[in-house]
Amino acid sequence: DLIERFFYQMLQRAVPSLYHDADTTKPVCFLDKELRQVIKRIGERAKVADYLVDVPLKDGSDTWILLHLEIQGKNGGNLAFRMYHYRSLIFVMYKRPMAALAIITDDRPTDEETHYSENTYETRIDYRYNRLVLKELNDEELLASENLFDLALFAAKKSLIHKNDEKRKYLYQKELIRLLKNRNWSQEDRYDLFLFIDRIIALKDETLIEDIRK
């Protein structure tokens, strides 16, 4: 929900070169039907965390930029191969250039490849894609940023690292609420971001929850 609501802000953090070329005055188009066709070809069930997005560019060209975006946690099999497999099918079916992004939201295997490579009798493939790894983001940079999606990333990171520490999560949520009040964002944006922060930090201690909502 947050990615759809604040797509360009997400793009600014995750793929700044594409953000620079995007025409942010125009809405993006989420290509749900096209993605379902790709998933059907693979023979898997569609996952709500997968997107194909038509991003309009400043030059006004007719060329699509398809952003294949996957949110991956600790599961999900061989991510590098799956990213390449999706890319191959998208190109076969739609003949469009594309950027690709994986948002890594949880721990992945330490020996996992960050790109897909293949070498068959000197026929080589080296497929690299953008990766945004939650745990590798810099706390100070996220908190100092005027990009509201960075504040959401900070909340998600702290919720992941301290998922079993109610007191720490409570303190982070209090700090984030204070920052929200002081940012020059619209009331609607701040409210939507507050809802996300509240859900991602997910306090369970009723006393702390009551204090947060005073």
Side-chain angles (χ1 to χ4, degrees):
D1 290 344
L2 199 74
I3 286 172
E4 293 180 14
R5 173 74 171 79
F6 301 114
F7 183 83
Y8 281 125
Q9 291 91 331
M10 181 279 296
L11 202 61
Q12 184 179 15
R13 163 58 59 181
V15 194
S17 59
L18 178 53
Y19 175 78
H20 179 268
D21 290 342
D23 185 350
T24 59
T25 66
K26 297 178 180 177
V28 299
C29 178
F30 289 88
L31 304 172
D32 297 334
K33 182 178 71 175
E34 290 82 351
L35 180 60
R36 284 197 299 271
Q37 290 299 317
V38 173
I39 296 288
K40 184 178 179 180
R41 181 73 65 89
I42 296 174
E44 296 181 355
R45 294 180 60 187
K47 297 179 292 299
V48 295
D50 292 342
Y51 294 95
L52 274 176
V53 189
D54 181 1
V55 182
L57 301 179
K58 291 174 183 174
D59 63 12
S61 68
D62 293 330
T63 301
W64 273 4
I65 298 294
L66 292 176
L67 183 63
H68 174 210
L69 186 153
E70 293 205 357
I71 304 174
Q72 284 295 325
K74 65 183 66 175
N75 300 313
N78 187 329
L79 176 59
F81 174 77
R82 195 150 63 87
M83 294 289 286
Y84 173 70
H85 193 189
Y86 271 44
R87 189 267 174 201
S88 300
L89 285 176
I90 292 167
F91 186 78
V92 166
M93 295 176 71
Y94 300 111
K95 303 296 189 294
R96 301 288 186 176
M98 70 198 73
L101 166 66
I103 297 182
I104 312 299
T105 61
D106 206 336
D107 294 322
R108 299 287 299 173
T110 55
D111 59 347
E112 181 175 68
E113 296 289 344
T114 58
H115 64 283
Y116 177 75
S117 61
E118 183 181 308
N119 181 2
T120 305
Y121 294 105
E122 306 309 318
T123 299
R124 300 176 186 271
I125 294 171
D126 186 23
Y127 180 60
R128 298 175 183 270
Y129 48 88
N130 298 282
R131 287 166 51 93
L132 182 70
V133 183
L134 198 60
K135 280 191 172 181
E136 294 178 0
L137 298 176
N138 180 274
D139 289 357
E140 288 73 21
E141 183 181 347
L142 293 177
L143 288 175
S145 173
E146 289 300 319
N147 182 344
L148 58 81
F149 197 81
D150 285 344
L151 206 59
L153 289 171
F154 178 83
K157 178 182 177 182
K158 293 306 175 183
S159 177
L160 172 63
I161 293 173
H162 302 295
K163 54 189 170 187
N164 296 317
D165 189 335
E166 288 286 284
K167 187 65 174 179
R168 292 290 293 273
K169 290 197 297 182
Y170 162 79
L171 293 174
Y172 282 122
Q173 187 164 355
K174 290 278 283 189
E175 174 65 10
L176 289 169
I177 290 172
R178 184 189 67 79
L179 288 173
L180 266 181
K181 290 178 179 178
N182 294 328
R183 293 296 168 90
N184 190 30
W185 298 326
S186 72
Q187 185 68 25
E188 183 181 7
D189 285 350
R190 284 188 292 170
Y191 180 71
D192 288 347
L193 190 52
F194 168 79
L195 290 180
F196 172 79
I197 290 171
D198 191 54
R199 290 165 66 183
I200 197 69
I201 290 184
L203 288 172
K204 297 179 177 60
D205 187 304
E206 291 297 332
T207 302
L208 297 179
I209 292 172
E210 183 178 349
D211 184 75
I212 283 286
R213 295 178 178 172
K214 285 180 181 178

